[in-house]
Amino acid sequence: MTLPKIGTNCSLDCLVRLLNTPSPTGYTEQAIELVEQELKGIAALQFRRTRKGGLVAKWEVEGSTAPRALTAHVDTLGAMVKEIKANGRLAITRIGGLLLNAVETEGCWVFTSRGGKLRGSLLVNTASGHVHGAKAAETARDEEHMEIRLDARTTSAKETRSLDVAPGDFVAFDPRVEVTNGFIRSRHLDDKAGVAAIMAAIKSVAESGQSPKETTYFLFSNYEEVGHGAASGIPAEVHELVTVDMAAVGQGQESDEFHATLCLKDSGGPYHHGLSKKLRELAERHAIPYKTDIYPNYGSDGEAFWRAGGDVAVALIGPGVDASHNYERTHTEALVATANWIIAYMLGD
Ligand SMILES: [Zn+2]
């Protein structure tokens, strides 16, 4: 079996559009909609939304005896307005494991409950070097000392309230996407790179006129960053779940930006040995550049499903992403490797 080709340019374009679609956990409708629109043209797929807002695409195959599922998450780190401060600026509460130092001075959108949006940026409250001197560098980058400065005329809580901002409004930080020499640098490659890899794989299998070996469900989940994305949405008839999420690159890690990685253990413990072995064999057979690795501070949607009682084999693969939950970067080689691995899994025994 030779794998069908993936349209790299088209997938990259799709990834960039997805990255530029704000989707902090809890505010993911636009991103889910984009994924559905992208896949809508594939006649073999049936779509449904989960009640909590995720998207399930089902590719039914006649005579299937052991249905499978793949999942990736569209939700990202972000924040919510916590408080309107007396100086008219906004205190925030983080969504997921957002590193505040990584978004210092970043531009952001505040989405108001009535559908408006306001522009601003996140700053430490001792930002001016001329006013605060050494303190500007020393202040802790935490929720207490950081605030959103809205690009609107306000210096009081009253003026800010009149802009229709309220606690609980979602905040999305600019992804700052750049593509250079095959590198993709952006926030939230976790897990939009995984979502794009699944979409690219589905498209190339469909374009090649083939079908998956078994009925396959694709869950695009929307609450992964807070720990329960794929806790629901995967039908009980599913035997195997392959979670597609970023591989952690950094000191002591085997993963890199040019390979896909099979994660064998993370903070939630070991993945399913049998399914992991099967994925490893598929990678070997199809010469997919891959690594195996352990992620020290990491949990996945596959484990969320396990914890929710899902009785399936779970494995985790994904593209290597440098500086995760920070200003992330990967390379198209890792994306292609991941998409090819998904294709091999879809078509394989
Ligand atoms: Zn992730």
Side-chain angles (χ1 to χ4, degrees), residues 7-21 34 38 177 179 184 192 196 199-200 203 332 335:
T8 317
N9 285 336
C10 148
S11 335
L12 192 57
D13 169 73
C14 179
L15 172 57
V16 170
R17 273 183 291 126
L18 191 58
L19 288 166
N20 281 318
T21 306
L34 187 151
E38 280 295 316
V177 191
V179 181
I184 304 138
K192 289 177 172 176
M199 290 199 290
K203 283 181 188 173
T332 45
L335 294 178

Side-chain angles (χ1 to χ4, degrees), residues 234-241 272 305-314:
I234 293 162
E237 60 164 347
V238 165
H239 288 224
E240 293 174 351
L241 170 63
H272 189 268
F305 187 53
W306 261 348
R307 288 210 174 81
D311 181 21
V312 288
V314 175

Side-chain angles (χ1 to χ4, degrees), residues 73 190-191 224-225 245-246 298-299 325:
H73 64 95
D190 172 13
D191 182 27
E224 193 274 348
E225 292 291 0
D245 208 337
M246 47 137 285
Y298 194 108
H325 284 191

Side-chain angles (χ1 to χ4, degrees), residues 291-314:
K291 306 261 191 187
T292 59
D293 212 348
I294 308 288
Y295 307 155
N297 298 289
Y298 194 108
S300 80
D301 248 352
E303 287 158 341
F305 187 53
W306 261 348
R307 288 210 174 81
D311 181 21
V312 288
V314 175

